[in-house]
C-alpha cells in the first residue's frame, strides 16, 4: 500500500538561512560559499569542505556541532544522523514534524550543496576492488535524495555549473528560492543519483561476471542538446556515460559546426570500423554514409588509402564521414577537402592538416588520441517498445578465428589477405551484407537488403557504376574476393558473386545447404573459407 500524503501545500518562496556544503569536487566552491555568506546564509560543512571554507577566511560550522557526534570510521559516518536528515526531511508546515524538530533540537537546513565521491573515475582507472568500493558514496546520495524528496522546503545543488543560477535566483527573490526552481534542482538531483547507482550496479555485474542482472540501469550526462534528431520533427540530446573508449564521445572537436544526431551516429560507425585495422601495418580509410561504409581501403599512405576508398562509390562519398586509423596529414587533408565531407575523425592531426581543413569552416574535424580496441568487451543497448535489448559488443576479430577452407581450391595468399580485409568490414555493414574487395580496397558493397542475393547484385551494380565513372573497361569486382556477414542460405547469392567476378569467398557457414553452396563453388573453381562466426548488424 502506498504511503498516504497529508496534502500540505508547499510554499512558493523559501528563504535560505542555513546551507550545508559537503562536496568532493570543489570547483567553484569558495566563490559560491563566499557569496552565500555575503547574503547572510549560515554555512555548515564537513571534513575537507569545511577546512577549505575556513582556510578561505569564512565562518563555517562543523556538522558535528549540529549532530553532537564526531565523524567516525574514516569519515564513513558524518552526516548519517537524525539531526541532519530531520533537518532535510522535516515538513515544516506539518505540526507533528515541527514539534519533533523542536523537541529534538533539529535546526532546519534550507540549501544542500553536495556532489559525490568519484566512483565512475576510480572504476575506470583500474583501481583495486577495495579502492573502488571505498569510493561508493553513501552519505552524499542519502542527503541528496532526502533534500530532493523534500524540495517543498529544501533546495539541492549537485552540480557546480548550477552555482551561478542559484545565486542569481537568490538575488532575484531577495534571499529565497522559488518552488519551481527547487523542483528543477530536485529533478536533476534524482537523475544524478540514478546515474551514479547505475554505474555502481553495472560495475558489480561486471566484477561478478553476471551477464544479465535482474535489474539493469544505464546512466549518462547530457553533453549537448541537438537541433533535432534523425529528422527535424524529432528532439534529440547526446549523453555520455564516461567510458574512455576512443571515439566520437571522447573526441576533441578542433573545428566545424556542432555535430548533429546523424553525424554522431555515422561518425561512431566510421571510427569503430577503422579501429579494426592496425595502423602499424597499413594506413586505412573508411568513408561512411548513413552508418554503412561506401568505401574502405588500406594503402601505403592515407592519401593512397582515401583515393582507393573513394573510388569504390564516389557518388555516395559526397557528404560522407571520413575516418582513418592514423594521424591526418596534409597530403590526405588536401585530397579529402576536394569533396564535400561532413566529418573527419582521426587519432590525431598535424598542424598543417588542421590548417588545410580550416579553410572549410563547416567541416568538423575530430581527434581522439587513439583507436578503439575491436577485441574489448562491452555492451550495446537498443530501445524497443516497453524495454531494452542489451547484448555484448561484437568483439570477434577475423585474425583470431579458426578459418576453414571447405573447397577443393584453397585461397592464394593474396586472396586470403583480401578475404580477411573483407570480413573485417562485413562486421560493420548492415545486414544482409556483401562486400567485394580487391587489392586491399572495397570495390562493391551491398548493405541492408532483405535478400542476400539482392545485396550481392547491388554491390556488383555499384561496382559497374564506379567503373563507368572512372572510365574502366570492366568493374573491379573482376578477380575480387567477396565476404558475406552470414551464411548463404542458397547457392544463388554465391552464383551472383561469381558472375560479378569473385574468385574467393569468406562466409560463416552453418546453413543446411552448405554442401550445395560448396559444390557450386567447386564447380566454378572458387575458393571458399568458413569462419564459424556470424556478423549480423541491424
Amino acid at each position: 500500500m502506498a504511503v498516504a500524503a497529508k496534502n500540505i501545500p508547499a510554499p512558493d518562496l523559501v528563504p535560505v538561512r542555513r546551507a550545508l556544503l559537503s562536496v568532493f569536487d570543489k570547483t567553484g566552491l569558495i566563490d559560491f560559499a563566499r557569496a552565500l555568506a555575503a547574503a547572510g546564509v549560515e554555512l555548515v560543512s564537513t571534513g575537507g569542505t569545511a577546512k577549505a571554507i575556513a582556510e578561505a577566511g569564512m565562518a563555517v560550522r562543523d556538522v558535528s556541532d549540529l549532530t553532537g557526534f564526531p565523524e567516525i570510521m574514516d569519515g564513513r559516518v558524518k552526516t548519517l544522523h537524525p539531526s541532519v536528515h530531520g533537518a532535510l526531511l522535516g515538513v515544516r508546515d506539518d505540526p507533528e514534524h515541527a514539534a519533533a524538530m523542536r523537541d529534538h533540537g533539529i535546526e532546519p537546513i534550507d540549501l544542500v550543496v553536495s556532489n559525490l565521491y568519484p566512483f565512475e573515475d576510480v572504476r575506470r582507472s583500474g583501481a583495486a576492488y577495495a579502492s573502488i568500493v571505498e569510493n561508493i558514496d553513501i552519505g552524499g546520495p542519502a542527503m541528496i535524495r532526502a533534500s530532493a524528496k523534500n524540495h517543498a522546503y529544501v533546495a539541492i545543488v549537485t552540480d557546480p555549473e548550477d552555482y551561478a543560477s542559484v545565486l542569481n535566483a537568490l538575488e532575484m527573490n531577495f534571499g529565497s528560492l522559488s518552488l519551481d526552481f527547487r523542483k528543477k534542482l530536485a529533478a536533476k538531483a534524482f537523475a544524478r543519483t540514478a546515474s551514479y547507482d547505475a554505474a555502481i550496479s553495472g560495475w558489480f555485474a561486471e566484477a561478478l561476471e553476471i551477464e544479465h542482472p535482474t535489474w539493469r540501469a544505464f546512466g549518462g550526462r547530457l553533453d549537448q542538446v541537438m537541433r533535432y534528431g534523425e529528422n527535424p520533427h524529432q528532439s534529440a540530446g547526446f549523453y555520455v556515460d564516461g567510458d574512455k573508449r576512443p571515439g566520437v564521445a571522447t573526441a576533441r572537436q578542433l573545428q566545424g559546426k556542432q555535430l548533429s544526431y546523424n553525424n554522431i551516429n555515422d561518425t561512431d560507425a566510421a571510427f569503430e570500423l577503422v579501429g579494426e585495422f592496425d595502423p602499424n601495418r597499413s594506413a586505412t580509410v573508411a568513408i561512411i554514409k548513413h552508418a554503412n561504409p561506401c568505401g574502405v581501403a588500406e594503402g601505403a599512405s592515407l592519401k593512397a588509402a582515401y583515393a582507393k576508398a573513394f573510388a569504390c562509390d564516389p557518388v555516395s562519398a559526397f557528404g560522407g564521414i571520413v575516418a582513418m586509423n592514423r594521424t591526418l596529414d596534409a597530403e590526405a587533408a588536401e585530397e579529402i577537402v576536394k569533396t564535400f565531407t561532413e566529418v573527419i575523425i582521426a587519432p590525431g592531426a598535424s598542424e598543417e592538416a588542421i590548417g588545410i581543413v580550416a579553410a572549410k569552416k563547416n567541416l568538423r574535424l575530430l581527434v581522439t588520441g587513439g583507436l578503439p580496441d575491436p577485441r574489448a568487451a562491452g555492451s550495446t543497448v537498443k530501445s524497443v517498445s516497453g524495454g531494452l535489448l542489451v547484448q555484448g559488443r561484437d568483439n570477434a576479430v577475423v585474425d583470431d578465428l579458426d578459418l576453414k577452407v571447405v573447397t577443393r581450391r584453397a585461397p592464394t595468399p593474396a586472396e586470403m589477405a583480401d578475404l580477411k580485409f573483407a570480413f573485417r568490414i562485413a562486421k560493420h555493414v548492415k545486414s544482409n551484407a556483401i562486400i567485394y574487395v580487391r587489392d586491399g580496397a572495397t570495390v562493391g558493397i551491398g548493405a541492408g537488403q532483405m535478400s542476400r542475393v539482392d545485396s550481392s547484385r547491388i554491390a556488383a551494380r555499384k561496382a559497374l557504376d564506379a567503373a563507368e565513372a572512372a572510365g574502366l573497361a570492366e568493374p573491379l569486382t573482376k578477380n575480387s574476393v567477396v565476404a558475406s556477414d552470414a551464411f548463404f542460405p542458397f547457392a544463388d547469392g554465391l552464383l551472383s558473386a561469381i558472375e560479378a567476378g569473385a574468385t574467393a569467398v569468406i562466409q560463416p557457414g552453418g546453413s543446411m545447404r552448405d554442401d550445395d553452396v560448396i559444390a557450386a563453388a567447386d564447380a566454378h573453381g572458387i575458393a571458399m573459407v568458413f569462419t564459424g562466426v556470424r556478423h549480423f548488424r541491424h
Side-chain angles (χ1 to χ4, degrees):
M1 184 175 178
V3 177
K6 294 185 178 180
N7 295 320
I8 297 172
D12 180 21
L13 292 173
V14 172
V16 176
R17 300 187 178 95
R18 182 176 295 108
L20 173 56
L21 300 90
S22 180
V23 298
F24 182 87
D25 179 1
K26 295 178 176 57
T27 303
L29 169 70
I30 299 306
D31 289 341
F32 186 54
R34 186 172 285 117
L36 290 176
V41 178
E42 180 187 10
L43 306 182
V44 181
S45 191
T46 63
T49 307
K51 182 181 178 183
I53 294 171
E55 287 177 350
M58 287 173 276
V60 59
R61 186 179 176 189
D62 195 276
V63 74
S64 61
D65 183 51
L66 254 66
T67 64
F69 206 91
E71 290 186 21
I72 60 173
M73 300 176 183
D74 300 318
R76 280 190 171 200
V77 179
K78 50 192 174 187
T79 58
L80 296 168
H81 192 280
S83 292
V84 173
H85 285 272
L88 301 179
L89 286 166
V91 178
R92 298 171 197 176
D93 294 319
D94 182 324
E96 293 180 10
H97 286 213
M101 293 176 77
R102 284 194 307 272
D103 291 346
H104 296 285
I106 297 174
E107 304 174 55
I109 294 171
D110 311 302
L111 173 67
V112 173
V113 183
S114 181
N115 54 60
L116 306 174
Y117 294 166
F119 173 84
E120 296 100 330
D121 292 338
V122 174
R123 173 194 178 186
R124 286 189 294 270
S125 72
Y129 185 95
S131 294
I132 295 174
V133 170
E134 201 57 36
N135 279 276
I136 296 175
D137 204 328
I138 300 300
M143 284 198 304
I144 289 170
R145 289 175 60 81
S147 305
K149 175 174 181 173
N150 201 29
H151 60 267
Y153 300 95
V154 182
I156 173 64
V157 182
T158 56
D159 188 346
E161 291 184 6
D162 291 330
Y163 291 169
S165 63
V166 171
L167 294 175
N168 182 62
L170 284 170
E171 184 177 357
M172 294 284 290
N173 293 297
F174 304 101
S176 297
L177 294 175
S178 70
L179 178 60
D180 182 63
F181 190 75
R182 298 194 304 273
K183 284 181 178 178
K184 290 176 180 176
L185 290 174
K188 185 170 184 176
F190 278 121
R192 175 64 188 114
T193 57
S195 179
Y196 194 75
D197 286 340
I200 295 167
S201 62
W203 168 73
F204 263 115
E206 181 182 294
L208 298 174
E209 298 183 348
I210 302 171
E211 289 188 352
H212 304 293
T214 303
W215 296 98
R216 194 74 182 256
F218 299 92
R221 181 185 177 96
L222 181 65
D223 183 73
Q224 62 174 278
V225 176
M226 299 171 169
R227 288 187 299 148
Y228 54 82
E230 283 186 288
N231 300 290
H233 63 279
Q234 295 172 269
S235 64
F238 181 39
Y239 289 79
V240 294
D241 64 6
D243 187 352
K244 299 302 183 184
R245 184 177 177 86
V248 65
T250 57
R252 206 160 43 95
Q253 184 170 346
L254 300 184
Q255 73 147 69
K257 58 185 179 180
Q258 184 186 43
L259 292 163
S260 71
Y261 181 99
N262 292 329
N263 289 153
I264 289 175
N265 188 57
D266 292 352
T267 303
D268 178 68
F271 205 61
E272 286 291 322
L273 193 161
V274 294
E276 300 280 346
F277 296 90
D278 183 355
N280 295 316
R281 191 173 71 87
S282 64
T284 304
V285 171
I287 306 172
I288 301 292
K289 198 75 170 288
H290 301 303
N292 275 310
C294 49
V296 185
E298 56 185 358
S301 67
L302 287 174
K303 179 181 179 181
Y306 175 78
K308 291 166 69 177
F310 184 84
C312 178
D313 189 351
V315 174
S316 298
F318 183 85
I321 311 293
V322 177
M324 59 205 67
N325 67 344
R326 289 182 178 176
T327 296
L328 175 67
D329 54 39
E331 188 182 44
E334 286 178 344
E335 199 64 29
I336 293 168
V337 298
K338 291 178 182 177
T339 300
F340 170 58
T341 300
E342 290 276 8
V343 181
I344 300 173
I345 184 168
S350 71
E351 289 301 320
E352 193 176 357
I354 292 170
I356 292 167
V357 176
K360 304 289 184 179
K361 64 179 183 178
N362 288 330
L363 171 56
R364 296 91 160 177
L365 175 58
L366 307 180
V367 294
T368 64
L371 290 168
D373 179 1
R375 294 177 174 85
S379 297
T380 64
V381 183
K382 179 182 175 65
S383 65
V384 295
S385 296
L388 300 170
L389 284 170
V390 183
Q391 66 173 347
R393 180 185 287 124
D394 184 357
N395 60 355
V397 174
V398 68
D399 289 334
D400 303 334
L401 303 181
D402 183 18
L403 304 183
K404 181 181 178 183
V405 178
V406 295
T407 46
R408 288 194 293 267
R409 184 173 82 78
T412 66
E415 286 175 328
M416 183 59 84
D418 277 349
L419 287 170
K420 288 183 176 181
F421 182 94
F423 203 65
R424 282 192 188 92
I425 297 165
K427 176 178 169 180
H428 296 271
V429 178
K430 301 291 186 182
S431 300
N432 287 309
I434 294 291
I435 300 90
Y436 293 92
V437 166
R438 178 170 155 181
D439 298 330
T442 57
V443 293
I445 299 173
Q449 298 304 304
M450 292 68 74
S451 161
R452 193 159 301 279
V453 69
D454 285 344
S455 288
S456 186
R457 289 168 178 162
I458 287 171
R461 178 68 251 181
K462 282 185 169 290
L464 279 170
D465 293 342
E468 289 175 6
L472 301 177
E474 61 181 13
L476 292 177
T477 49
K478 296 295 182 184
N479 298 314
S480 68
V481 306
V482 66
S484 174
D485 62 340
F487 61 65
F488 287 102
F490 302 96
D492 55 358
L494 173 66
L495 293 173
S496 179
I498 293 170
E499 184 180 344
T503 63
V505 180
I506 188 168
Q507 59 137 321
S511 168
M512 292 187 297
R513 298 180 179 83
D514 275 349
D515 289 344
D516 294 342
V517 176
I518 293 168
D522 280 335
H524 290 81
I526 299 301
M528 184 179 290
V529 174
F530 281 3
T531 66
V533 170
R534 187 178 74 182
H535 280 315
F536 267 165
R537 187 178 181 88
H538 293 101

